[in-house]
Amino acid sequence: MNKNQLINELQYKLQDSIKVISNYSWLIDAYVLDFYVANHWDRLPNSWKLCFDGVDIRKLKALLSDETTGKEAETHLWPLSVLALRVLFRKYCLARQLPNEPANLGTKLEQERSHFQAQQKLFDKSVKLKKRHEIEKFCEQCWRTGRKTDVQYLVDIGSGQGNLARTLCYGFGFRVCCIEQDEKLVESARLKDEELSSRLKRKLKVETMHHPVHLNRKVNLEQIDPGQFVEILRDAFNVEKDAPLQFGLVGLHPCGDLAVSLMKLFLSCPEAKFIKLVCCCYMKLTTAKDKCSNYGFPLSAFCKQRELHLSYEAREIACHAIEQYYSKLGSDYQELKVHAFRAAVEKIIVQLYPHLKHSGVRSTKVTNLSFQQYCEKATSGMGLDLPVTAMESPEIESDLRHWERVVKFYTLRLMFAPLVESIVLYDRWLYLLEQGIHSQIDVIFDPVCSPRNHALTGEK
């Protein structure tokens, strides 16, 4: 598919996807927290209420999966509008399943004598399993793109404790500059650099290694001059002024507008040859309705011209872990009763303390807890006096007898999450294409482990 065909396809998908979102905004924008306060169940079409009132919760898994087996089709018949939505989701949503790795990847890495492949256990120390998976896959992607674009220098803005940078630098041979405004994180990163590099030197029998360069500074990406930014990198990498410098911008889960700012910085710096981002926290994006000059969504000229908008609620649900929820709808679905308990607590709080609507409560599991016990644990520390008469009122008891309705409503809302995320990513992809940048989106993480698993790559 050539560039113009790809642009046309993205525009088509965006235009139709926004229509779907607009038609179902009443569901997407409905917080499950307000299920009893706002009587969300009555907002469903009659055909949906009749269907879902009688369906076993475990059958809801079919609504969150692309796979439809003959057995599922025989055992339950969904409303036609729900079936139509499932067809549209398959048509317009980005794929979420991790593809098979190229058969020759391991051979190439061995030929490159990757320190990461040889001493992977050292890199895994003090890194949680989810983060290990993300760093390994993201670094492999950077390695491929770096070889393709002939880039040896990488820049990680908002680098934290440098877990990604250490693997890129010590494991895959990149020269890495980390820019982080939190001094304590920078100090921690440098200590961890020393620890890992000394271990690698002993294991690999090498005398010297390049270290990541950590800069403790705040970079205003909206105002920084591209030339000044490149000079900062030259100083960090000790590259002479007249010597060529080509670098890649990388970001593993930059939040909200940071990802957009990195894309704009990439476009403004001729020396930046590629960008690779795995984005998250879409609810933190600024939008055109926020009345700020450099908002994060929409980004592409196509979407701006059509004044496309996604509500905060829609962007927030796009960050949910749909595959993890899918597994909870199985044999252990009783723990999902927590949605109903939390919604019932909210109803009591709104009745007694309306000024505390949508206040945060303690995360509390419902296993083996009565509703009253849950209330006491969830609201402890808030200084609330919830009377027993309120917690045991006939109205609350009636609500909780139908607790499965809350799970079903939440599942219906969650169906739209991949579509909303696709809209945000399509907009960014289209933005790069409009600027003449060769770009693509790939699935690089296992969605069960890492729900935000799409990498956006742009190359000059």
Side-chain angles (χ1 to χ4, degrees):
M1 186 182 300
N2 63 38
K3 175 188 167 185
N4 289 334
Q5 289 175 323
L6 182 54
I7 288 176
N8 288 337
E9 180 179 335
L10 289 175
Q11 290 176 344
Y12 166 72
K13 287 184 175 180
L14 276 163
Q15 199 157 274
D16 281 9
S17 295
I18 287 291
K19 289 179 183 177
V20 175
I21 296 297
S22 298
N23 287 337
Y24 286 91
S25 61
W26 57 270
L27 174 57
I28 296 168
D29 294 347
Y31 276 135
V32 174
L33 180 65
D34 297 323
F35 185 85
Y36 297 126
V37 173
N39 200 10
H40 284 337
W41 188 255
D42 282 349
R43 302 179 71 178
L44 296 177
N46 287 332
S47 62
W48 289 27
K49 286 190 286 187
L50 287 171
C51 169
F52 290 102
D53 239 348
V55 69
D56 187 301
I57 280 183
R58 287 164 290 195
K59 294 186 182 298
L60 298 177
K61 294 176 69 174
L63 300 180
L64 301 183
S65 172
D66 288 339
E67 300 177 1
T68 304
T69 66
K71 184 178 179 181
E72 286 172 347
E74 291 172 2
T75 56
H76 199 80
L77 181 63
W78 305 110
L80 289 177
S81 51
V82 172
L83 293 174
L85 281 171
R86 295 187 67 198
V87 171
L88 292 174
F89 295 151
R90 284 193 286 269
K91 182 177 181 180
Y92 295 131
C93 292
L94 284 163
R96 294 184 54 79
Q97 296 306 309
L98 186 66
N100 295 326
E101 289 285 3
N104 62 346
L105 177 61
T107 303
K108 286 184 178 180
L109 286 170
E110 289 173 6
Q111 290 172 350
E112 292 286 327
R113 296 179 181 178
S114 166
H115 292 167
F116 177 74
Q117 294 295 105
Q119 299 295 334
Q120 185 171 347
K121 288 185 179 180
L122 293 181
F123 290 91
D124 290 345
K125 184 181 179 183
S126 301
V127 181
K128 292 181 180 180
L129 184 62
K130 173 180 181 292
K131 197 68 175 179
R132 290 182 199 173
H133 171 69
E134 293 168 351
I135 288 175
E136 177 182 351
K137 297 302 181 183
F138 189 76
C139 288
E140 288 177 359
Q141 289 287 321
C142 290
W143 175 82
R144 296 183 205 181
T145 307
R147 297 302 180 273
K148 183 179 178 181
T149 55
D150 195 26
V151 164
Q152 297 179 339
Y153 297 92
L154 298 180
V155 182
D156 184 6
I157 298 178
S159 51
Q161 297 189 57
N163 289 319
L164 172 65
R166 276 185 289 281
T167 303
L168 287 168
C169 185
Y170 300 138
F172 287 82
F174 287 103
R175 301 288 302 278
V176 185
C177 178
C178 302
I179 302 177
E180 172 59 54
Q181 64 180 353
D182 189 324
E183 185 177 358
K184 291 183 179 179
L185 291 179
V186 172
E187 291 174 357
S188 176
R190 287 172 178 157
L191 289 174
K192 291 185 176 184
D193 289 354
E194 288 294 332
E195 180 184 351
L196 178 57
S197 63
S198 63
R199 289 174 178 268
L200 286 171
K201 285 176 185 178
R202 290 197 299 269
K203 291 284 186 179
L204 301 171
K205 310 298 182 184
V206 295
E207 294 296 324
T208 60
M209 303 181 77
H210 286 299
H211 299 288
V213 180
H214 297 276
L215 302 182
N216 176 212
R217 62 187 303 165
K218 183 177 181 178
V219 178
N220 188 330
L221 297 176
E222 298 299 338
Q223 297 179 1
I224 192 170
D225 177 83
Q228 292 177 345
F229 181 71
V230 173
E231 287 307 309
I232 291 172
L233 299 183
R234 286 187 180 278
D235 290 341
F237 289 126
N238 197 24
V239 175
E240 296 181 359
K241 187 173 183 179
D242 295 331
L245 174 64
Q246 295 188 158
F247 63 88
L249 278 171
V250 299
L252 182 53
H253 294 147
C255 290
D257 287 347
L258 176 57
V260 176
S261 297
L262 291 173
M263 292 171 67
K264 292 179 179 178
L265 181 61
F266 164 71
L267 292 171
S268 66
C269 290
E271 294 85 353
K273 294 303 176 182
F274 81 82
I275 186 170
K276 191 177 293 291
L277 305 173
V278 177
C279 307
C280 68
C281 300
Y282 308 121
M283 66 283 197
K284 295 182 180 179
L285 282 168
T286 54
T287 70
K289 291 192 176 182
D290 292 319
K291 297 181 180 179
C292 56
S293 56
N294 292 307
Y295 50 82
F297 181 87
L299 193 58
S300 65
F302 175 82
C303 292
K304 285 182 177 180
Q305 289 168 1
R306 284 151 184 80
E307 298 182 343
L308 299 187
H309 177 69
L310 290 173
S311 66
Y312 175 89
E313 293 82 1
R315 288 178 279 122
E316 187 271 338
I317 201 172
C319 296
H320 286 217
I322 191 168
E323 285 79 14
Q324 293 175 19
Y325 197 80
Y326 173 91
S327 66
K328 290 180 181 179
L329 289 170
S331 57
D332 296 329
Y333 68 86
Q334 287 285 332
E335 69 178 78
L336 298 178
K337 189 183 291 187
V338 68
H339 293 310
F341 275 25
R342 178 63 185 92
V345 170
E346 183 69 10
K347 185 174 182 177
I348 295 172
I349 291 175
V350 169
Q351 290 172 348
L352 300 178
Y353 306 95
H355 63 288
L356 294 179
K357 182 179 181 179
H358 291 179
S359 294
V361 303
R362 289 180 181 271
S363 178
T364 305
K365 293 184 178 181
V366 299
T367 308
N368 299 323
L369 290 183
S370 67
F371 177 62
Q372 182 177 340
Q373 290 171 325
Y374 172 84
C375 288
E376 292 169 353
K377 284 178 174 285
T379 61
S380 62
M382 295 179 65
L384 303 183
D385 180 18
L386 302 184
V388 174
T389 53
M391 292 184 282
E392 295 182 352
S393 70
E395 187 177 5
I396 291 296
E397 289 182 350
S398 175
D399 288 340
L400 293 179
R401 277 197 296 272
H402 298 95
W403 69 267
E404 292 189 359
R405 288 180 174 178
V406 186
V407 177
K408 294 168 183 178
F409 187 89
Y410 180 80
T411 304
L412 288 168
R413 185 171 178 251
L414 193 59
M415 282 197 310
F416 293 84
L419 185 63
V420 179
E421 182 173 23
S422 296
I423 290 171
V424 176
L425 295 177
Y426 286 152
D427 175 56
R428 294 177 178 183
W429 190 0
L430 184 57
Y431 171 69
L432 291 178
L433 290 170
E434 290 173 345
Q435 310 303 316
I437 302 297
H438 173 73
S439 51
Q440 63 189 58
I441 290 180
D442 302 290
V443 176
I444 66 170
F445 303 148
D446 178 352
V448 175
C449 177
S450 304
R452 307 282 70 76
N453 66 342
H454 294 96
L456 172 62
T457 305
E459 302 170 9
K460 292 178 182 174

